[in-house]
């Protein structure tokens, strides 16, 4: 990377910053260079591990998993004090600052923002992530997710995408990037060349973006051009193949030789660098994902990723082995020294652009706990979360005109809660408790179905007439979220809890996560999608069910899953 590139988009370095990049690179030995190429994971406050990362491995950065704020502050303060070169500190800032700390604000999923139809909300989210995240010591957001949700069966994209319209995804992504970076946090558009076409999870298998070159240009290509135009500093590469462009750049390539983007030079250098013009930092998605590990020997894979054009490797499989492997490849010449120096210039260029050297000198890389209190979970960001939820909650259908509900019309509610989630209070027991408390406070009588206890032996279930006499409304509530290594996001029916009373009792459903449940409950005539679970969103949903405010959310994806019976 030459000086003119460092001066230009996306780093815009001045002369003194460029000098720091050169001086720092010139002072590094091969072990330091090998370490600088890695971004590891920190998921606990372990002094021994952290000291090893900073002093022995001399890593370029690390990603924090969500922990209590005091732990995050302690970790980031310790790591930055130990580091000779200030570190990049990343987190998955997808739903808000909560991505780095459980004490920070839980604002909105990207699909929730897409449902508002207002890209400026993505900008507000990006700014909030940067403000609260920076206070805790973070400077790099592994967001926005710019995948396009074309396949409703995809188990990993889900509510992490802005929707299935490239124009909306591009507009939201631009807003997030501009406002996060304006507030001092680098953004990372992911997962190039684009997830959402395949129905498989790249954590488990190499997934495929099957679009032609022309189709890709008009969809994912348009989105990535928008991100680059917005000045995105980094792009994260997925374990995803793009056969059309691999064949375009390498016409003689055989199918068995095709590789995912993380180790495909034709996609990184040809498509991303040359055609799209991206000059920022390229970081891999987690290198311990099976999407690449199943194809190439681990030691060769790491070298191939860097030689192909990746500047930074996210995570390790065995840290000692992986860093030693890269070091030995650099010493032997298997790793191009020119390519490694180019990668490190981009890493250092990003650090300079974020003013990390200056902040390191002045002790401002992490705020004090007293300063943090001003930002952490602040009222402004909580109000933003509530505002976005109110704009996003979507009435998908109400064919029987059950809405609005009231205690006079539907006083006796039979509640089914079906959840498969890691979220606090979002499991079945927690969600039953929260809904029962909130609905009871509104004057309803709530009876909960326990999914673990059968109603009786086969053929002796609760009589239909007994149900008709006992309840005015049946309410199904789902909280089935997408997350890594989960191959499906479908309703798991237990003990005859499926909706058999539809013909005789008014029945409706609310989903707090996956927007595609109609495929499994097509005959439920009333469905509301909320795209994310937290207690504030539960309040908004109940408010809208009762007609206290109108539904303004717009479907950011096709909730009918291209099946005619779901629209009945």
């Amino acid at each position: 990377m030459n000086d003119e590139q460092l001066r230009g988009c996306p780093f815009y370095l001045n002369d003194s910053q460029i000098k720091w990049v050169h001086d720092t690179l010139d002072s590094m030995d091969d072990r330091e260079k090998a370490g600088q190429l890695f971004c590891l994971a920190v998921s606990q406050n372990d002094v021994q591990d952290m000291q090893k990362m900073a002093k022995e491995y001399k890593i370029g950065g690390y990603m924090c998993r969500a922990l209590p704020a005091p732990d995050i502050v302690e970790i980031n303060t310790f790591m930055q004090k130990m580091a000779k070169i200030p570190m990049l500190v990343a987190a998955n800032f997808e739903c808000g600052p909560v991505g780095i700390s459980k004490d920070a604000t839980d604002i909105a999923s990207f699909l929730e923002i897409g449902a508002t139809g207002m890209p400026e909300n993505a900008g507000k989210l990006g700014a909030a992530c940067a403000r609260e995240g920076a206070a805790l010591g973070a400077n790099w957001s592994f967001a926005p997710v710019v995948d396009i949700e074309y396949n409703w069966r995809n188990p990993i994209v889900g509510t992490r995408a802005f929707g299935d319209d490239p124009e909306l995804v591009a507009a939201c992504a631009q807003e997030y990037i501009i406002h996060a970076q304006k507030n001092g946090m680098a953004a990372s558009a992911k997962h190039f060349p684009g997830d959402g076409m395949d129905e498989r999870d790249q954590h488990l298998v190499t997934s495929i973006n099957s679009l032609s070159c022309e189709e890709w240009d008009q969809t994912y290509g348009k989105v990535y051009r928008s991100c680059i135009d917005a000045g995105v500093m980094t792009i994260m590469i997925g374990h995803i193949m793009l056969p059309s462009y691999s064949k375009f750049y390498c016409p003689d390539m055989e199918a068995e030789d095709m590789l995912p983007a993380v180790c495909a030079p034709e996609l990184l250098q040809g498509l991303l660098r040359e055609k799209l013009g991206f000059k920022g930092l390229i970081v891999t998605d987690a290198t311990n994902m099976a999407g690449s590990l199943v194809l190439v020997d681990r030691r060769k894979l790491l070298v191939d990723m860097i030689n192909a054009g990746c500047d930074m490797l996210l995570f390790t499989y065995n840290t000692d082995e992986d860093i030693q492997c890269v070091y030995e490849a650099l010493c032997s010449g298997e790793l191009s020294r020119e390519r490694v120096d180019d990668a490190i210039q981009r890493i250092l260029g990003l650090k300079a652009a974020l003013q990390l050297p200056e902040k390191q000198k002045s002790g401002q890389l992490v705020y004090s706990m007293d300063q943090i209190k001003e930002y952490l979970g602040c009222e402004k960001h909580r109000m933003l979360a509530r505002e976005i939820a109110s704009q996003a909650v979507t009435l998908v259908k109400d064919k029987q005109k059950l809405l609005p509900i009231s205690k006079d019309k539907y006083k006796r509610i039979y509640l089914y809660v079906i959840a498969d989630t890691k979220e606090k209070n979002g499991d079945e027991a927690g969600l039953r408790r929260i809904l029962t408390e909130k609905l009871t406070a509104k004057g309803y009588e709530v009876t909960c179905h326990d999914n673990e206890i059968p109603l009786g032996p086969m053929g002796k279930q609760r009589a239909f007439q007994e149900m008709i006499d006992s309840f005015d409304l049946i309410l199904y509530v789902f909280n089935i979220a997408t997350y890594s290594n989960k191959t499906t996001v479908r309703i798991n029916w237990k003990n005859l809890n499926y909706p058999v009373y539809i013909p005789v009792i008014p029945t409706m459903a609310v989903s707090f996560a996956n927007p595609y449940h109609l495929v499994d409950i097509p005959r439920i005539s009333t469905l509301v999608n909320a795209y994310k679970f937290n207690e504030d969103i539960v309040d908004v949903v109940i408010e809208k069910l009762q007609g206290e405010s109108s539904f303004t959310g717009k479907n950011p994806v096709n909730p009918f899953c291209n099946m005619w019976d779901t629209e009945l």
Side-chain angles (χ1 to χ4, degrees), residues 454-520:
L455 294 179
M458 289 297 290
K460 293 185 180 179
Q461 302 303 321
R462 199 163 186 169
F464 270 72
Q465 192 58 52
E466 182 187 350
M467 290 293 289
I468 293 169
D469 293 340
S470 301
F471 303 106
D472 306 310
L473 177 71
I474 293 177
L475 174 60
Y476 278 86
V477 174
F478 304 104
N479 190 25
I480 304 173
T482 56
Y483 50 82
S484 305
N485 308 322
K486 180 181 178 184
T487 55
T488 59
V489 190
R490 300 287 288 273
I491 300 170
N492 182 17
W493 302 110
K494 301 176 186 176
N495 300 327
L496 303 183
N497 62 357
Y498 40 79
V500 295
Y501 302 108
I502 291 175
V504 292
I505 303 174
T507 303
M508 62 185 296
V510 175
S511 174
F512 285 103
N514 180 37
Y516 301 116
H517 286 317
L518 277 177
V519 73
D520 290 321

Side-chain angles (χ1 to χ4, degrees), residues 411-418 428-440 444-451 462 467 471-478 497 505-510 512 538 542 545:
K411 186 173 184 67
R412 301 168 302 169
I413 297 176
Y414 194 77
L415 176 65
Y416 289 89
V417 172
I418 300 173
E428 289 181 356
L431 197 42
R432 273 197 298 269
R433 175 184 57 77
I434 290 167
L435 284 161
T436 299
E437 289 174 358
K438 292 182 183 294
L439 288 169
T440 300
Y444 297 95
E445 296 173 3
V446 180
T447 301
C448 292
H449 178 84
D450 189 337
N451 295 323
R462 199 163 186 169
M467 290 293 289
F471 303 106
D472 306 310
L473 177 71
I474 293 177
L475 174 60
Y476 278 86
V477 174
F478 304 104
N497 62 357
I505 303 174
T507 303
M508 62 185 296
V510 175
F512 285 103
V538 174
I542 292 173
L545 292 179

